[in-house]
Amino acid sequence: MLWLAARLKVDKRKLFLARGKCAETVIHLMKDQRSKDAIKAAIDYGNGLINEEQLISAADAAFSAASAAYAAYAAADAAYAASAAYAASAADAADAAFSAAAYAAYAAYDAASAATSAAAKKNNQLLTANICREILTDAVFAKYKRL
């Protein structure tokens, strides 16, 4: 629906409102306040409460937050890889066995999380589709009728 609305050049504020409301469904997963503020800004822009300059400012701050999170994620991956390398080359067999068991437990946890995540993802897709229908349907049909 978002793609179609954008292609039909539905009012930009309606698009931002729909995007913001969709993003708001996962705001509880966000740790950085700048990301949360950007979602609020998108919704506020969609509702006509802030101007485009304020929206861009919030988006820039959220980009900085995303960049910092990505760097931290990359560092965590590097630490995990270093730990795995240590476990593989540990001189002490007991250390190597313990580390292998720990990494197996992490893998099992990740697998369980993936199954839970798949169900959560499907539920969120349905929720966001309904949000888009609620916000954009009338505008999309109005534009479509003018074609």
Side-chain angles (χ1 to χ4, degrees), residues 1-2 26 38 76 81 88 103 106 113 117 122:
M1 177 72 78
L2 276 171
V26 294
Y103 292 128
Y106 291 143
S113 292
S117 294
K122 183 68 175 172

Side-chain angles (χ1 to χ4, degrees), residues 6 11 45 47 90 117 125:
D11 179 63
Y45 179 77
N47 286 322
S117 294
Q125 286 172 334

Side-chain angles (χ1 to χ4, degrees), residues 1-23 128-129 131-133 135-137 140:
M1 177 72 78
L2 276 171
W3 176 85
L4 181 59
R7 287 295 223 185
L8 291 172
K9 296 186 177 23
V10 166
D11 179 63
K12 184 166 58 168
R13 288 189 183 267
K14 276 207 179 284
L15 287 171
F16 273 93
L17 179 61
R19 291 173 185 165
K21 288 290 192 178
C22 288
T128 56
I131 289 168
C132 288
R133 282 187 203 102
I135 296 170
L136 298 170
T137 298
V140 166

Side-chain angles (χ1 to χ4, degrees), residues 42-60:
I43 293 168
D44 287 350
Y45 179 77
N47 286 322
L49 302 175
I50 66 171
N51 63 35
E52 193 166 344
E53 186 177 304
Q54 292 167 305
L55 176 65
I56 290 168
S57 177
D60 288 345

Side-chain angles (χ1 to χ4, degrees), residues 86-119:
Y86 167 75
S89 64
D92 184 343
D95 275 351
F98 173 78
S99 294
Y103 292 128
Y106 291 143
Y109 174 79
D110 285 347
S113 292
T116 302
S117 294

